[in-house]
Amino acid sequence: MTSLQDRSRAAVWHPCTQMARLADLPPLPIARGEGPWLFDTEGRRYFDANASWWVNLFGHSDRALHDAIKAQLDTLPHVMLAGCTHEPAVRLAERLSARTGGALGHAFFGSDGASAVEIALKQSFHSWKNRGRPAKREFVCLKNSYHGETLGALSVTDVQVFRDAYDPLLMRAHIVASPDARLGNEAQALTAMRALLAERHAHIACVIVEPLVQGAAGMVMHSPDYLRGLRELTREFGVHLIADEIAVGCGRTGTFFAWEQTQADWPDFILLSKGITGGTMALSLVLTTDEVFDAFWSEDVTRGFLHSHSYTGNPLACAAANAVLDRFDAGQLEDNRAQAERLARAFAPLTSRMAHLRQRGMILAFDVPNAPARFAETFHLKARAHELLIRPIGSTVYLMPPYLIDDATAAFLAGAVTQTLDDLLNDVPA
Ligand SMILES: *Cc1c(COP(=O)(O)O)cnc(C)c1O
């Protein structure tokens, strides 16, 4: 019988993968998950250090999340959200609104992160148009930003490997210098933003930003001060600000919304996905203000936001998200702070082997100086031998683990990373 890996190679077109390379790099055949561990079909285990592409919050097979989904499954798995409504969606929207003190009191539902980005870009443009400003149709993103890979989202994404092949198809967004704590360039980044907004604000609808951590850029971090400056600039020049919290939301950086750390005015939009269902169901949300919402309020149907996805506001996904919020209501953030400190303590002794060890809550990253060619792939393969599932970005190794870090797990992670670095140095075969 052919292996699951061979069948997968023949029938499944894997994401973010050069399929021709799968012979050397066979996908791990995963059979089940339990807590932070994934188990392959042979029973070997791997610590899910990247939380299954940043979605998993409380580990795999979390009882409370599963129970919430099962209860919803027996009641109402799905109904369309146009012309109908249901308790799980209403409750979720109300609870997220409350977490912004009502500032972002209107929730539009999408199915994944990229669709949330598309929705926010369209809403920003359309709200300006409805207010008699149709010329405000340009978008601004930061250098090395990542906002997803559908054509609209890719237009505000500046990661070459994802973007270059499709460049001729994309909208021309403005790409502005991004802040990077390693370079100490936040003031310059704001100056560059000011120059662009001063010149083009009459044509610019919005700026989109990943607050505190540019994830796909390689966990590039900046301070809340930069975001405060950005909020002031976008207000001064009458431009919307979209906080893409798809990766950094849901407690990942130490507060429920990363934006809370700025203590500035709320942005005009916040996007959530990934962690919002704890890694169980596909769901995204676009939260926005009365001001944006009111621009669509009219007797004229075409002034409304006539956008939809079939699974919009799926009740199973909303039930999962409500169960995630229950955890935060019950003190998850305090627990995360203790977990983040454990990670920091476990990795502190290793600083001599790494450059720019940096951390924001439950994201820890470092750069590997003089990394060999194809470092990310090699590190990933060698780490598997140490029960660690991890996917570096370029020469940056990062942990974005489920929120299950006790002292033993923190020590395990630091040990497995160290052993993998040793193997790499000594060229031990994977
Ligand atoms: C993952 C991600 C997206 C895209 O979400 P998908 O669900 O993968 O489409 C957008 N923005 C950020 C910051 C992300 O990390």
Side-chain angles (χ1 to χ4, degrees), residues 179-233:
D180 181 342
R182 291 171 299 191
L183 307 175
N185 62 353
E186 294 189 355
Q188 293 96 307
L190 283 172
T191 304
M193 185 66 77
R194 170 175 286 280
L196 174 68
L197 296 187
E199 188 196 331
R200 293 296 297 173
H201 64 93
H203 301 272
I204 291 173
C206 58
V207 176
I208 185 166
V209 64
E210 296 159 85
L212 298 181
V213 186
Q214 287 188 294
M219 302 301 151
V220 176
M221 303 190 182
H222 55 257
S223 76
D225 291 343
Y226 169 79
L227 297 170
R228 225 172 1 252
L230 188 60
R231 177 69 288 193
E232 282 163 17
L233 281 178

Side-chain angles (χ1 to χ4, degrees), residues 258-341:
W259 190 267
E260 291 167 56
Q261 293 172 49
T262 67
Q263 296 173 330
D265 282 358
W266 290 94
D268 302 281
F269 297 87
I270 290 183
L271 316 182
L272 289 175
S273 188
K274 291 204 164 108
I276 190 63
T277 62
T280 56
M281 303 283 304
L283 179 73
S284 63
L285 290 115
V286 176
L287 309 177
T288 192
T289 59
D290 287 346
E291 198 187 337
V292 169
F293 179 80
D294 289 348
F296 294 84
W297 190 269
S298 167
E299 291 301 314
D300 177 356
V301 171
T302 64
R303 288 170 66 94
F305 188 59
L306 306 184
H307 180 109
S308 56
H309 298 282
S310 314
Y311 279 94
T312 276
N314 174 254
L316 293 170
C318 292
N322 277 308
V324 166
L325 294 188
D326 290 345
R327 290 286 248 284
F328 286 95
D329 289 349
Q332 183 70 46
L333 288 172
E334 288 87 271
D335 205 41
N336 276 24
R337 278 192 267 281
Q339 296 191 34
E341 279 166 28

